[in-house]
Amino acid sequence: MAEAAGFRDLPGWGRAGQRVTTVEPVLPGAVRGGVRALLRLEGVVLLAGALVAYDQVGAGWSAFALWFLVPDLSLLGYLAGARTGALLYNAAHSYVGPAALSGFGALAAQPAVLALGLVWMAHIGFDRMLGYGLKYGSGFGATHLGQVGKRDAW
């Protein structure tokens, strides 16, 4: 019954070995358990790979620091509402843009373009490692990697 209401039972132990049950909200469409851990590990791998590749390009770490947080400017979309914010955030935090930019930079022998794509990839990897996933239109905290922020069971 709790599962149908959007909650799942979590077993725990109370005082003197008494079994207690708590509830945790389950975000529809969000991954849990080992799949969530695997996706966060993918973020670590993406971040590490982008850092190694960026070092090989030789663009300089001050430029990296300057551009690393630029994708988070997409958060300004939340000023126009949750759906617009999620759309802009997801556009700036999906792998499509940095993969295309990096591919173009590599194929066109444009190291500056390649470096920007790698910084963008590193940013996404960092976010995923921390558990910030792609957003649902219901609000900033609702992501494909689960709820972000303070959890409220009610």
Side-chain angles (χ1 to χ4, degrees), residues 18-57:
Q18 293 176 330
R19 194 165 173 85
V20 296
T21 303
T22 58
V23 291
E24 175 185 289
V26 175
L27 183 63
V31 297
R32 296 183 299 221
V35 174
R36 184 173 193 268
L38 181 62
L39 290 173
R40 290 182 72 173
L41 180 60
E42 283 182 349
V44 172
V45 171
L46 180 66
L47 173 61
L51 290 174
V52 169
Y54 185 86
D55 186 54
Q56 295 300 310
V57 171

Coordinates of all heavy atoms in Angstrom, one line a residue, residues 18-57:
Q18 N 13.9 -3.7 18.7 CA 12.5 -3.7 18.1 C 12.6 -3.2 16.7 O 13.3 -2.3 16.4 CB 11.6 -2.7 18.9 CG 11.3 -3.2 20.3 CD 10.5 -2.1 21.0 OE1 10.6 -0.9 20.7 NE2 9.7 -2.5 21.9
R19 N 11.9 -3.9 15.8 CA 11.9 -3.6 14.4 C 11.0 -2.4 14.2 O 9.8 -2.4 14.6 CB 11.5 -4.7 13.6 CG 11.8 -4.6 12.1 CD 11.6 -6.0 11.5 NE 11.8 -5.9 10.1 CZ 12.9 -5.9 9.4 NH1 14.0 -5.9 10.1 NH2 12.9 -5.8 8.1
V20 N 11.4 -1.4 13.5 CA 10.6 -0.2 13.1 C 10.6 0.0 11.6 O 11.5 -0.5 11.0 CB 11.1 1.1 13.8 CG1 11.0 1.0 15.3 CG2 12.5 1.4 13.4
T21 N 9.6 0.7 11.1 CA 9.6 0.9 9.7 C 9.4 2.4 9.5 O 8.6 3.1 10.2 CB 8.3 0.2 9.1 OG1 8.4 -1.2 9.3 CG2 8.3 0.5 7.6
T22 N 10.3 3.0 8.6 CA 10.2 4.4 8.3 C 9.8 4.4 6.8 O 9.9 3.4 6.1 CB 11.5 5.1 8.5 OG1 12.5 4.5 7.7 CG2 11.8 5.1 10.0
V23 N 9.4 5.6 6.3 CA 9.1 5.7 4.9 C 10.0 6.8 4.3 O 10.4 7.8 5.0 CB 7.6 6.1 4.7 CG1 6.7 4.9 5.0 CG2 7.2 7.3 5.4
E24 N 10.3 6.6 3.1 CA 11.2 7.6 2.3 C 10.4 7.8 1.0 O 10.0 6.9 0.4 CB 12.5 6.9 2.1 CG 13.4 7.8 1.2 CD 14.7 7.1 0.9 OE1 15.5 6.9 1.7 OE2 14.8 6.7 -0.3
P25 N 10.3 9.1 0.6 CA 9.6 9.4 -0.6 C 10.4 8.7 -1.8 O 11.6 8.8 -1.8 CB 9.6 10.9 -0.7 CG 10.6 11.4 0.2 CD 10.8 10.3 1.3
V26 N 9.6 8.2 -2.7 CA 10.2 7.6 -3.9 C 9.8 8.6 -5.1 O 8.7 8.8 -5.4 CB 9.7 6.2 -4.2 CG1 10.3 5.7 -5.5 CG2 10.1 5.3 -3.1
L27 N 10.8 9.1 -5.7 CA 10.6 10.0 -6.8 C 10.3 9.2 -8.1 O 11.2 8.5 -8.5 CB 11.8 11.0 -7.0 CG 11.7 12.0 -8.1 CD1 10.6 13.0 -7.8 CD2 13.0 12.7 -8.2
P28 N 9.1 9.3 -8.7 CA 8.9 8.5 -9.9 C 9.9 8.8 -11.0 O 10.2 10.0 -11.2 CB 7.5 8.9 -10.3 CG 6.9 9.5 -9.0 CD 8.0 10.1 -8.3
G29 N 10.4 7.8 -11.6 CA 11.4 8.0 -12.7 C 12.8 8.1 -12.2 O 13.7 8.1 -13.0
A30 N 13.1 8.2 -10.9 CA 14.4 8.3 -10.4 C 15.0 6.9 -10.2 O 14.3 6.0 -9.8 CB 14.5 9.1 -9.1
V31 N 16.3 6.7 -10.4 CA 17.0 5.5 -10.2 C 17.3 5.4 -8.7 O 17.4 6.4 -8.0 CB 18.2 5.3 -11.1 CG1 17.8 5.3 -12.5 CG2 19.2 6.4 -10.8
R32 N 17.5 4.1 -8.2 CA 17.9 3.9 -6.8 C 18.9 2.8 -6.8 O 19.2 2.1 -7.7 CB 16.6 3.5 -6.0 CG 15.6 4.5 -6.0 CD 14.5 4.0 -5.1 NE 13.9 2.7 -5.7 CZ 12.6 2.4 -5.7 NH1 11.8 3.3 -5.2 NH2 12.2 1.3 -6.2
G33 N 19.5 2.7 -5.6 CA 20.4 1.5 -5.3 C 21.6 1.5 -6.2 O 22.3 2.5 -6.4
G34 N 21.9 0.3 -6.6 CA 23.1 0.0 -7.4 C 23.2 0.8 -8.7 O 24.2 1.2 -9.2
V35 N 22.0 1.0 -9.3 CA 22.0 1.8 -10.6 C 22.3 3.2 -10.4 O 23.1 3.8 -11.1 CB 20.6 1.7 -11.3 CG1 20.5 2.5 -12.5 CG2 20.2 0.2 -11.6
R36 N 21.8 3.8 -9.3 CA 22.2 5.2 -8.9 C 23.7 5.3 -8.6 O 24.4 6.2 -9.1 CB 21.4 5.6 -7.7 CG 21.6 7.1 -7.4 CD 20.7 7.5 -6.2 NE 20.7 8.9 -6.1 CZ 21.5 9.6 -5.2 NH1 22.3 8.9 -4.5 NH2 21.4 10.9 -5.1
A37 N 24.2 4.3 -7.9 CA 25.7 4.3 -7.6 C 26.5 4.2 -8.9 O 27.5 4.8 -9.1 CB 26.0 3.2 -6.6
L38 N 26.0 3.3 -9.8 CA 26.7 3.2 -11.1 C 26.7 4.5 -11.9 O 27.8 4.9 -12.5 CB 26.1 2.0 -11.9 CG 26.8 1.7 -13.2 CD1 28.2 1.3 -13.0 CD2 26.0 0.6 -14.0
L39 N 25.6 5.1 -11.9 CA 25.5 6.4 -12.7 C 26.4 7.5 -12.0 O 27.0 8.3 -12.8 CB 24.1 6.9 -12.8 CG 23.2 6.1 -13.7 CD1 21.7 6.5 -13.6 CD2 23.7 6.1 -15.1
R40 N 26.5 7.5 -10.7 CA 27.4 8.4 -10.1 C 28.8 8.1 -10.3 O 29.7 9.0 -10.5 CB 27.1 8.5 -8.6 CG 25.7 9.2 -8.3 CD 25.4 9.3 -6.9 NE 26.2 10.4 -6.3 CZ 26.0 10.8 -5.0 NH1 25.1 10.3 -4.3 NH2 26.8 11.7 -4.6
L41 N 29.2 6.8 -10.4 CA 30.5 6.4 -10.7 C 30.9 6.8 -12.1 O 32.0 7.1 -12.4 CB 30.6 4.8 -10.5 CG 32.0 4.2 -10.8 CD1 33.1 4.8 -9.9 CD2 32.0 2.7 -10.7
E42 N 29.9 6.7 -13.0 CA 30.1 7.1 -14.4 C 30.5 8.6 -14.4 O 31.3 9.1 -15.2 CB 28.9 7.0 -15.3 CG 28.6 5.6 -15.7 CD 27.4 5.4 -16.6 OE1 26.6 6.4 -16.7 OE2 27.2 4.4 -17.2
G43 N 29.9 9.4 -13.5 CA 30.3 10.8 -13.4 C 31.7 11.0 -13.0 O 32.4 11.8 -13.5
V44 N 32.2 10.1 -12.1 CA 33.6 10.2 -11.6 C 34.5 9.9 -12.8 O 35.5 10.6 -13.0 CB 33.8 9.2 -10.5 CG1 35.3 9.1 -10.1 CG2 33.0 9.6 -9.2
V45 N 34.2 8.8 -13.6 CA 35.0 8.4 -14.7 C 35.0 9.5 -15.8 O 36.0 9.9 -16.3 CB 34.5 7.1 -15.3 CG1 35.2 6.8 -16.6 CG2 34.7 6.0 -14.3
L46 N 33.8 10.1 -16.0 CA 33.8 11.2 -17.0 C 34.6 12.4 -16.6 O 35.4 13.0 -17.3 CB 32.3 11.7 -17.2 CG 32.1 12.8 -18.2 CD1 32.5 12.4 -19.6 CD2 30.7 13.3 -18.2
L47 N 34.5 12.8 -15.3 CA 35.3 13.9 -14.8 C 36.8 13.6 -14.9 O 37.5 14.4 -15.4 CB 34.9 14.1 -13.3 CG 35.8 15.1 -12.5 CD1 35.7 16.5 -13.1 CD2 35.4 15.2 -11.1
A48 N 37.2 12.4 -14.5 CA 38.6 12.0 -14.6 C 39.1 12.0 -16.0 O 40.2 12.6 -16.3 CB 38.9 10.7 -13.9
G49 N 38.3 11.4 -16.9 CA 38.7 11.4 -18.3 C 38.8 12.7 -18.9 O 39.8 13.0 -19.7
A50 N 37.9 13.6 -18.6 CA 37.9 15.0 -19.2 C 39.1 15.7 -18.6 O 39.7 16.5 -19.4 CB 36.6 15.7 -18.8
L51 N 39.4 15.5 -17.4 CA 40.6 16.2 -16.8 C 41.9 15.8 -17.4 O 42.8 16.6 -17.8 CB 40.7 16.0 -15.3 CG 39.6 16.7 -14.4 CD1 39.7 16.3 -13.0 CD2 39.7 18.2 -14.6
V52 N 42.0 14.5 -17.6 CA 43.2 13.9 -18.3 C 43.3 14.5 -19.7 O 44.4 14.9 -20.2 CB 43.3 12.4 -18.3 CG1 44.3 11.8 -19.1 CG2 43.4 11.9 -16.8
A53 N 42.2 14.4 -20.5 CA 42.2 14.9 -21.8 C 42.5 16.4 -21.9 O 43.3 16.9 -22.8 CB 40.9 14.6 -22.5
Y54 N 41.9 17.2 -21.0 CA 42.2 18.6 -21.0 C 43.6 18.9 -20.7 O 44.2 19.8 -21.3 CB 41.3 19.3 -19.9 CG 41.4 20.8 -19.9 CD1 40.6 21.5 -20.7 CD2 42.3 21.4 -19.1 CE1 40.7 22.9 -20.7 CE2 42.4 22.8 -19.1 CZ 41.6 23.5 -19.9 OH 41.7 24.9 -19.9
D55 N 44.2 18.2 -19.8 CA 45.7 18.3 -19.5 C 46.5 18.1 -20.8 O 47.5 18.8 -21.1 CB 46.1 17.4 -18.4 CG 47.5 17.7 -18.0 OD1 47.8 18.8 -17.6 OD2 48.3 16.7 -18.0
Q56 N 46.1 17.1 -21.6 CA 46.8 16.8 -22.8 C 46.7 17.9 -23.9 O 47.6 18.2 -24.7 CB 46.4 15.5 -23.4 CG 46.7 14.3 -22.5 CD 48.2 14.1 -22.3 OE1 48.9 14.1 -23.2 NE2 48.5 14.0 -21.0
V57 N 45.5 18.6 -23.9 CA 45.3 19.7 -24.8 C 46.2 20.9 -24.5 O 46.6 21.6 -25.4 CB 43.8 20.1 -24.8 CG1 43.6 21.4 -25.6 CG2 42.9 19.0 -25.4

